Coordinates of all heavy atoms in Angstrom, one line a residue:
M1 N 40.3 97.9 29.4 CA 41.1 98.5 30.5 C 40.3 98.6 31.8 O 39.2 99.2 31.8 CB 41.5 99.9 30.1 CG 42.5 100.6 31.0 SD 44.0 99.6 31.3 CE 44.6 99.4 29.6
E2 N 40.7 97.9 32.8 CA 40.0 97.8 34.0 C 40.8 98.4 35.2 O 42.0 98.2 35.3 CB 39.5 96.4 34.3 CG 40.7 95.4 34.2 CD 40.3 94.1 34.9 OE1 39.7 94.1 35.9 OE2 40.7 93.0 34.4
G3 N 40.1 99.1 36.1 CA 40.8 99.6 37.3 C 41.8 100.6 36.9 O 42.0 101.1 35.8
T4 N 42.6 101.0 37.9 CA 43.7 101.9 37.7 C 45.0 101.2 37.7 O 45.2 100.2 38.4 CB 43.7 103.0 38.8 OG1 43.6 102.3 40.1 CG2 42.7 104.0 38.6
M5 N 45.8 101.6 36.8 CA 47.1 101.0 36.6 C 48.1 101.6 37.5 O 48.2 102.8 37.5 CB 47.5 101.1 35.1 CG 48.6 100.2 34.6 SD 48.9 100.5 32.9 CE 48.4 99.0 32.2
K6 N 48.9 100.8 38.2 CA 49.9 101.4 39.0 C 51.1 101.9 38.1 O 51.3 101.4 37.0 CB 50.5 100.3 40.0 CG 49.5 99.9 41.0 CD 50.2 99.2 42.1 CE 49.3 98.6 43.1 NZ 48.8 97.2 42.8
L7 N 51.8 102.9 38.7 CA 52.8 103.6 37.9 C 53.9 102.6 37.4 O 54.3 102.7 36.2 CB 53.4 104.7 38.7 CG 54.4 105.6 37.9 CD1 53.7 106.2 36.7 CD2 54.9 106.7 38.8
N8 N 54.3 101.7 38.3 CA 55.3 100.8 37.8 C 54.8 99.8 36.7 O 55.5 99.4 35.8 CB 56.0 100.0 39.0 CG 55.0 99.2 39.8 OD1 53.8 99.4 39.7 ND2 55.5 98.3 40.5
E9 N 53.5 99.5 36.9 CA 52.9 98.6 35.8 C 52.9 99.4 34.5 O 53.2 98.8 33.4 CB 51.5 98.2 36.2 CG 51.4 97.2 37.3 CD 50.0 96.9 37.7 OE1 49.3 96.3 36.9 OE2 49.5 97.4 38.7
F10 N 52.6 100.6 34.6 CA 52.5 101.5 33.4 C 53.9 101.5 32.8 O 54.0 101.4 31.6 CB 52.1 102.9 33.8 CG 52.2 103.9 32.7 CD1 51.3 104.1 31.8 CD2 53.4 104.7 32.6 CE1 51.4 105.0 30.7 CE2 53.5 105.6 31.6 CZ 52.5 105.7 30.6
N11 N 54.9 101.8 33.6 CA 56.3 101.9 33.0 C 56.7 100.6 32.4 O 57.5 100.6 31.4 CB 57.2 102.3 34.1 CG 57.1 103.8 34.4 OD1 56.8 104.6 33.5 ND2 57.3 104.2 35.7
N12 N 56.3 99.5 33.0 CA 56.7 98.2 32.4 C 56.0 98.0 31.0 O 56.6 97.5 30.1 CB 56.4 97.0 33.3 CG 57.4 97.0 34.5 OD1 58.5 97.5 34.4 ND2 56.9 96.4 35.6
A13 N 54.7 98.3 31.0 CA 53.9 98.0 29.8 C 54.3 99.0 28.6 O 54.2 98.6 27.5 CB 52.5 98.1 30.1
F14 N 54.6 100.2 29.0 CA 54.9 101.2 27.9 C 56.2 101.9 28.1 O 56.3 103.1 28.4 CB 53.7 102.2 28.0 CG 52.4 101.6 27.9 CD1 51.5 101.7 28.9 CD2 52.0 101.0 26.7 CE1 50.2 101.1 28.8 CE2 50.7 100.4 26.6 CZ 49.8 100.5 27.6
Q15 N 57.2 101.1 27.8 CA 58.6 101.7 27.9 C 59.0 102.5 26.7 O 59.8 103.4 26.8 CB 59.6 100.6 28.2 CG 59.6 100.0 29.6 CD 60.4 98.8 29.7 OE1 61.3 98.5 28.9 NE2 60.2 98.1 30.8
T16 N 58.4 102.2 25.6 CA 58.8 102.8 24.3 C 57.5 103.2 23.6 O 56.4 102.8 23.8 CB 59.5 101.8 23.4 OG1 58.7 100.7 23.1 CG2 60.8 101.3 24.1
E17 N 57.8 104.2 22.6 CA 56.7 104.6 21.7 C 56.1 103.4 21.0 O 54.9 103.3 20.7 CB 57.2 105.6 20.8 CG 57.5 107.0 21.4 CD 56.3 107.8 21.7 OE1 55.5 108.1 20.8 OE2 56.1 108.0 22.9
Q18 N 57.0 102.5 20.6 CA 56.6 101.3 19.9 C 55.6 100.4 20.7 O 54.6 99.9 20.1 CB 57.9 100.4 19.5 CG 57.6 99.4 18.4 CD 57.2 100.0 17.1 OE1 57.6 101.1 16.7 NE2 56.2 99.4 16.5
Q19 N 55.8 100.3 22.0 CA 54.9 99.6 22.8 C 53.5 100.3 22.9 O 52.5 99.6 22.9 CB 55.4 99.4 24.2 CG 56.5 98.3 24.3 CD 57.1 98.2 25.6 OE1 57.6 99.2 26.1 NE2 57.1 97.1 26.2
C20 N 53.6 101.6 22.9 CA 52.3 102.4 22.9 C 51.6 102.2 21.5 O 50.4 102.0 21.5 CB 52.6 103.9 23.1 SG 53.3 104.3 24.7
L21 N 52.3 102.2 20.5 CA 51.7 101.9 19.1 C 51.1 100.6 19.1 O 50.0 100.4 18.6 CB 52.8 102.1 18.1 CG 53.3 103.5 17.7 CD1 54.5 103.4 16.7 CD2 52.1 104.3 17.1
A22 N 51.8 99.6 19.6 CA 51.3 98.2 19.6 C 50.0 98.1 20.4 O 49.1 97.4 20.0 CB 52.3 97.2 20.1
Y23 N 49.9 98.8 21.5 CA 48.7 98.8 22.3 C 47.6 99.4 21.5 O 46.5 98.8 21.5 CB 49.0 99.6 23.6 CG 47.8 99.6 24.5 CD1 47.6 98.5 25.3 CD2 46.9 100.6 24.6 CE1 46.5 98.4 26.2 CE2 45.8 100.6 25.4 CZ 45.6 99.5 26.2 OH 44.5 99.5 27.1
I24 N 47.8 100.5 20.9 CA 46.7 101.1 20.0 C 46.3 100.1 18.9 O 45.1 100.0 18.6 CB 47.2 102.4 19.5 CG1 47.4 103.4 20.6 CG2 46.2 103.0 18.5 CD1 48.1 104.7 20.2
A25 N 47.3 99.5 18.4 CA 47.0 98.5 17.3 C 46.1 97.4 17.8 O 45.2 96.9 17.0 CB 48.3 97.9 16.8
N26 N 46.2 97.0 19.0 CA 45.4 96.0 19.6 C 44.0 96.5 19.8 O 43.0 95.7 19.7 CB 45.9 95.5 20.9 CG 47.1 94.5 20.7 OD1 47.1 93.8 19.7 ND2 48.0 94.4 21.6
L27 N 43.8 97.7 20.2 CA 42.5 98.3 20.4 C 41.7 98.5 19.1 O 40.5 98.4 19.1 CB 42.6 99.6 21.1 CG 43.1 99.6 22.6 CD1 43.1 101.0 23.1 CD2 42.3 98.7 23.4
K28 N 42.5 98.9 18.1 CA 41.8 99.2 16.9 C 41.5 98.0 16.0 O 42.2 97.0 16.1 CB 42.7 100.2 16.1 CG 42.7 101.6 16.6 CD 43.5 102.5 15.6 CE 42.7 102.7 14.3 NZ 43.4 103.7 13.4
E29 N 40.5 98.2 15.1 CA 40.3 97.2 14.1 C 41.3 97.5 13.0 O 41.2 98.6 12.4 CB 38.9 97.2 13.7 CG 38.5 96.1 12.8 CD 37.0 96.2 12.4 OE1 36.5 97.3 12.2 OE2 36.4 95.2 12.3
N30 N 42.2 96.7 12.7 CA 43.2 97.0 11.7 C 42.8 96.7 10.3 O 42.9 95.5 9.9 CB 44.5 96.2 12.0 CG 45.2 96.9 13.2 OD1 45.3 98.1 13.3 ND2 45.8 96.1 14.0
K31 N 42.2 97.7 9.7 CA 41.8 97.5 8.3 C 42.2 98.7 7.5 O 42.4 99.8 8.1 CB 40.3 97.2 8.2 CG 39.4 98.2 8.7 CD 38.0 97.8 8.5 CE 37.0 98.9 9.0 NZ 35.6 98.5 8.9
C32 N 42.3 98.5 6.2 CA 42.7 99.6 5.3 C 41.7 100.8 5.4 O 40.5 100.6 5.4 CB 42.8 99.1 3.9 SG 43.2 100.4 2.7
I33 N 42.3 102.0 5.5 CA 41.4 103.2 5.6 C 40.8 103.5 4.2 O 39.8 104.2 4.1 CB 42.2 104.4 6.0 CG1 43.4 104.7 5.1 CG2 42.7 104.3 7.4 CD1 44.0 106.1 5.3
R34 N 41.3 102.9 3.2 CA 40.7 103.2 1.8 C 39.7 102.1 1.4 O 38.6 102.3 1.0 CB 41.8 103.3 0.8 CG 41.3 103.7 -0.6 CD 42.3 103.4 -1.7 NE 43.1 104.5 -2.0 CZ 44.2 104.4 -2.8 NH1 44.5 103.2 -3.3 NH2 44.9 105.4 -3.1
C35 N 40.2 100.8 1.4 CA 39.4 99.7 0.9 C 38.9 98.7 1.9 O 38.2 97.8 1.6 CB 40.2 99.0 -0.2 SG 41.5 97.9 0.4
S36 N 39.2 99.0 3.2 CA 38.7 98.2 4.3 C 39.2 96.7 4.3 O 38.7 95.9 5.0 CB 37.2 98.1 4.4 OG 36.7 99.4 4.6
S37 N 40.3 96.5 3.5 CA 40.9 95.2 3.5 C 41.6 94.9 4.8 O 42.2 95.9 5.4 CB 41.9 95.0 2.3 OG 42.6 93.9 2.5
F38 N 41.6 93.7 5.3 CA 42.4 93.3 6.5 C 43.8 92.8 6.1 O 44.5 92.4 6.9 CB 41.6 92.3 7.3 CG 40.4 92.8 7.9 CD1 39.2 92.7 7.3 CD2 40.5 93.5 9.1 CE1 38.0 93.2 7.9 CE2 39.3 94.1 9.7 CZ 38.1 93.9 9.1
N39 N 44.0 92.8 4.8 CA 45.3 92.2 4.3 C 46.4 93.3 4.3 O 46.6 94.0 3.3 CB 45.1 91.7 2.9 CG 46.1 90.7 2.5 OD1 47.0 90.4 3.3 ND2 46.1 90.3 1.2
L40 N 47.0 93.5 5.5 CA 47.9 94.6 5.7 C 49.3 94.1 6.1 O 49.5 93.1 6.7 CB 47.4 95.5 6.8 CG 46.0 96.0 6.7 CD1 45.6 96.7 8.0 CD2 45.8 96.9 5.5
N41 N 50.3 94.9 5.7 CA 51.6 94.7 6.2 C 51.8 95.7 7.4 O 51.9 96.9 7.2 CB 52.7 95.1 5.1 CG 54.1 94.9 5.6 OD1 54.4 94.8 6.8 ND2 55.0 94.8 4.7
T42 N 51.9 95.1 8.6 CA 51.9 96.0 9.8 C 53.3 95.9 10.5 O 53.4 96.1 11.7 CB 50.9 95.5 10.8 OG1 51.0 94.1 11.1 CG2 49.5 95.8 10.3
S43 N 54.3 95.6 9.7 CA 55.7 95.5 10.3 C 56.1 96.9 10.9 O 56.9 97.0 11.8 CB 56.7 94.9 9.4 OG 56.7 95.7 8.2
D44 N 55.7 98.0 10.2 CA 55.9 99.3 10.7 C 54.5 100.0 11.0 O 53.8 100.3 10.1 CB 56.7 100.1 9.7 CG 57.0 101.5 10.2 OD1 56.5 101.9 11.3 OD2 57.7 102.2 9.5
L45 N 54.2 100.1 12.3 CA 52.9 100.6 12.7 C 52.6 102.0 12.3 O 51.5 102.5 12.2 CB 52.6 100.4 14.1 CG 52.5 98.9 14.6 CD1 52.5 98.8 16.1 CD2 51.3 98.2 14.0
K46 N 53.7 102.7 12.0 CA 53.5 104.1 11.6 C 53.4 104.2 10.1 O 53.2 105.3 9.5 CB 54.7 105.0 12.1 CG 54.5 105.4 13.6 CD 55.5 106.5 14.0 CE 55.1 107.0 15.4 NZ 56.1 107.8 16.0
R47 N 53.7 103.1 9.4 CA 53.6 103.1 8.0 C 53.0 101.7 7.5 O 53.7 100.9 6.9 CB 54.9 103.4 7.4 CG 54.8 103.9 6.0 CD 56.1 104.6 5.5 NE 55.9 105.3 4.3 CZ 55.9 104.8 3.1 NH1 56.1 103.5 3.0 NH2 55.7 105.5 2.0
I48 N 51.8 101.5 7.9 CA 51.1 100.3 7.5 C 50.8 100.3 6.0 O 50.4 101.4 5.5 CB 49.8 100.1 8.3 CG1 50.1 100.0 9.8 CG2 48.9 98.9 7.8 CD1 48.9 100.0 10.7
R49 N 51.0 99.2 5.3 CA 50.7 99.2 3.9 C 49.6 98.2 3.6 O 49.7 97.0 4.1 CB 51.9 98.9 3.1 CG 51.8 99.1 1.6 CD 53.1 99.1 0.9 NE 53.8 97.8 1.0 CZ 53.6 96.8 0.2 NH1 52.7 96.9 -0.8 NH2 54.2 95.6 0.4
C50 N 48.6 98.6 2.8 CA 47.6 97.7 2.4 C 48.1 96.9 1.2 O 48.6 97.4 0.3 CB 46.3 98.5 2.0 SG 45.0 97.4 1.3
L51 N 48.0 95.5 1.4 CA 48.5 94.7 0.3 C 47.5 94.5 -0.8 O 47.9 94.0 -1.9 CB 48.8 93.3 0.9 CG 49.8 93.3 2.0 CD1 50.0 91.9 2.6 CD2 51.2 93.8 1.6
K52 N 46.4 95.1 -0.7 CA 45.4 95.0 -1.7 C 45.4 96.2 -2.6 O 45.5 96.1 -3.8 CB 44.0 94.8 -1.1 CG 42.9 94.4 -2.1 CD 41.6 94.2 -1.3 CE 40.4 93.9 -2.2 NZ 39.1 94.0 -1.5
C53 N 45.3 97.4 -2.0 CA 45.3 98.7 -2.8 C 46.5 99.5 -2.7 O 46.6 100.6 -3.3 CB 44.1 99.5 -2.5 SG 44.2 100.3 -0.9
N54 N 47.5 99.1 -1.9 CA 48.8 99.7 -1.7 C 48.7 101.1 -1.0 O 49.7 101.8 -0.9 CB 49.4 100.0 -3.1 CG 50.8 99.4 -3.1 OD1 51.2 98.6 -2.3 ND2 51.6 99.7 -4.2
Q55 N 47.6 101.4 -0.4 CA 47.5 102.6 0.5 C 48.4 102.4 1.7 O 48.5 101.3 2.2 CB 46.0 102.7 0.9 CG 45.8 103.8 1.9 CD 45.6 105.2 1.3 OE1 45.3 105.3 0.1 NE2 45.9 106.2 2.1
T56 N 49.1 103.5 2.1 CA 49.8 103.5 3.3 C 49.2 104.5 4.3 O 48.7 105.5 3.9 CB 51.3 103.9 3.1 OG1 51.4 105.1 2.5 CG2 52.1 102.8 2.3
F57 N 49.2 104.1 5.6 CA 48.7 104.9 6.6 C 49.3 104.5 7.9 O 49.9 103.5 8.1 CB 47.2 104.8 6.7 CG 46.6 103.4 6.8 CD1 46.3 103.0 8.1 CD2 46.5 102.5 5.8 CE1 45.8 101.7 8.3 CE2 46.1 101.2 5.9 CZ 45.7 100.8 7.2
S58 N 49.1 105.4 8.9 CA 49.6 105.2 10.2 C 48.6 104.5 11.1 O 47.4 104.8 10.9 CB 50.1 106.5 10.9 OG 50.3 106.3 12.3
I59 N 49.0 103.7 12.1 CA 48.1 103.2 13.0 C 47.3 104.3 13.8 O 46.2 104.1 14.3 CB 48.8 102.2 14.1 CG1 47.8 101.4 14.9 CG2 49.7 103.0 15.0 CD1 47.0 100.4 14.1
L60 N 47.9 105.5 13.8 CA 47.3 106.6 14.5 C 46.3 107.4 13.7 O 45.6 108.2 14.2 CB 48.4 107.6 14.9 CG 49.5 107.0 15.9 CD1 50.6 108.0 16.2 CD2 48.9 106.4 17.1
T61 N 46.2 107.0 12.4 CA 45.2 107.7 11.6 C 43.8 107.5 12.1 O 43.4 106.4 12.4 CB 45.3 107.2 10.1 OG1 46.6 107.4 9.6 CG2 44.2 107.8 9.2
G62 N 43.1 108.6 12.3 CA 41.7 108.5 12.8 C 41.6 108.4 14.3 O 40.6 108.3 14.9
T63 N 42.8 108.6 15.0 CA 42.7 108.6 16.5 C 43.1 110.0 17.0 O 43.5 110.8 16.2 CB 43.7 107.6 17.1 OG1 45.1 108.2 17.0 CG2 43.7 106.3 16.5
I64 N 42.8 110.3 18.3 CA 43.2 111.6 18.8 C 44.7 111.8 18.8 O 45.1 113.0 18.9 CB 42.7 111.7 20.3 CG1 43.3 110.7 21.2 CG2 41.2 111.7 20.3 CD1 43.2 111.0 22.6
F65 N 45.4 110.8 18.5 CA 46.9 110.9 18.6 C 47.5 111.4 17.2 O 48.6 111.7 17.1 CB 47.6 109.6 18.9 CG 47.0 109.0 20.2 CD1 46.3 107.8 20.1 CD2 47.2 109.6 21.4 CE1 45.8 107.3 21.3 CE2 46.7 109.0 22.6 CZ 46.0 107.9 22.5
S66 N 46.7 111.3 16.2 CA 47.3 111.4 14.8 C 47.9 112.8 14.6 O 48.9 112.9 13.9 CB 46.2 111.2 13.8 OG 45.2 112.1 13.9
R67 N 47.4 113.9 15.1 CA 48.0 115.2 14.9 C 48.7 115.7 16.1 O 49.0 116.9 16.1 CB 46.9 116.1 14.3 CG 46.5 115.8 12.9 CD 45.7 117.0 12.3 NE 44.3 116.9 12.8 CZ 43.4 117.8 12.5 NH1 43.7 118.8 11.8 NH2 42.2 117.7 13.0
S68 N 48.9 114.9 17.1 CA 49.5 115.4 18.3 C 51.0 115.4 18.1 O 51.6 114.5 17.6 CB 49.1 114.5 19.4 OG 49.9 114.8 20.6
Q69 N 51.6 116.4 18.7 CA 53.1 116.5 18.8 C 53.6 115.9 20.1 O 54.8 115.7 20.2 CB 53.6 118.0 18.7 CG 53.2 118.7 17.4 CD 53.8 118.0 16.2 OE1 54.9 117.6 16.2 NE2 52.9 117.7 15.2
T70 N 52.7 115.6 21.0 CA 53.0 115.0 22.3 C 53.4 113.6 22.0 O 52.8 112.9 21.2 CB 51.8 115.1 23.2 OG1 51.3 116.4 23.2 CG2 52.3 114.7 24.6
S71 N 54.4 113.1 22.8 CA 54.7 111.7 22.6 C 53.6 110.8 23.1 O 52.8 111.2 24.0 CB 56.0 111.3 23.4 OG 55.7 111.2 24.8
L72 N 53.5 109.6 22.6 CA 52.4 108.7 23.0 C 52.6 108.3 24.5 O 51.6 108.2 25.2 CB 52.5 107.4 22.2 CG 52.0 107.5 20.8 CD1 52.2 106.2 20.0 CD2 50.5 107.9 20.7
R73 N 53.8 108.2 25.0 CA 54.0 107.9 26.4 C 53.4 108.9 27.3 O 52.8 108.6 28.3 CB 55.5 107.7 26.7 CG 56.1 106.4 26.1 CD 57.4 106.1 26.7 NE 57.1 105.5 28.1 CZ 57.6 105.9 29.2 NH1 58.5 106.9 29.2 NH2 57.3 105.3 30.3
S74 N 53.6 110.2 26.9 CA 53.0 111.3 27.7 C 51.4 111.2 27.7 O 50.8 111.3 28.8 CB 53.4 112.6 27.2 OG 54.8 112.7 27.1
W75 N 50.9 110.9 26.6 CA 49.4 110.7 26.5 C 49.0 109.6 27.4 O 48.0 109.7 28.1 CB 49.0 110.4 25.0 CG 48.7 111.6 24.2 CD1 49.5 112.1 23.2 CD2 47.6 112.4 24.3 NE1 48.9 113.2 22.6 CE2 47.7 113.4 23.3 CE3 46.5 112.5 25.1 CZ2 46.8 114.4 23.1 CZ3 45.5 113.5 25.0 CH2 45.7 114.4 23.9
F76 N 49.7 108.5 27.2 CA 49.3 107.3 28.0 C 49.4 107.5 29.5 O 48.6 107.1 30.2 CB 50.1 106.1 27.6 CG 49.6 105.4 26.3 CD1 49.1 106.2 25.3 CD2 49.6 104.0 26.2 CE1 48.7 105.5 24.1 CE2 49.1 103.4 25.1 CZ 48.7 104.2 24.0
Y77 N 50.4 108.3 29.9 CA 50.6 108.6 31.3 C 49.4 109.3 31.8 O 48.8 109.0 32.8 CB 51.9 109.3 31.5 CG 52.1 109.6 33.0 CD1 52.5 108.6 33.8 CD2 51.9 110.9 33.5 CE1 52.6 108.9 35.2 CE2 52.1 111.2 34.8 CZ 52.4 110.2 35.7 OH 52.6 110.4 37.0
L78 N 48.9 110.3 31.0 CA 47.8 111.1 31.4 C 46.5 110.3 31.5 O 45.7 110.5 32.4 CB 47.6 112.3 30.4 CG 48.6 113.4 30.5 CD1 48.4 114.4 29.3 CD2 48.5 114.1 31.8
I79 N 46.4 109.4 30.6 CA 45.2 108.6 30.5 C 45.1 107.5 31.6 O 44.0 107.3 32.2 CB 45.1 107.8 29.1 CG1 44.9 108.9 28.0 CG2 44.0 106.8 29.1 CD1 45.1 108.4 26.6
F80 N 46.2 106.9 31.9 CA 46.2 105.8 32.8 C 46.5 106.1 34.3 O 46.3 105.3 35.2 CB 47.2 104.7 32.4 CG 46.8 104.1 31.1 CD1 47.6 104.0 30.0 CD2 45.5 103.5 31.0 CE1 47.2 103.4 28.8 CE2 45.1 102.9 29.8 CZ 46.0 102.9 28.7
R81 N 47.0 107.2 34.6 CA 47.4 107.5 36.0 C 46.2 107.5 36.9 O 45.1 107.8 36.5 CB 48.2 108.8 36.1 CG 47.4 110.0 35.9 CD 48.2 111.2 36.1 NE 47.4 112.4 35.7 CZ 47.7 113.7 36.0 NH1 48.9 113.9 36.6 NH2 46.9 114.7 35.7
Ligands
ZN1 ZN1 43.4 99.0 0.8

């Protein structure tokens, strides 16, 4: 992330919670929280499934967002403005 993002750029990039989730997914190393396998089913980022050990977890596990009741868009707005 470089420089400051203009508000309209922000709105275009993060229109939905899903886009926010996808952004986090890009930042994170996507591996299983239990066995560290990279062999994951990520079709649902809030319910990623490890194809090796069958563990399910959210892309938000281990981030500051995981226990937040605030929407991701609100968080992102605070971070990027
Ligand atoms: Zn696993």
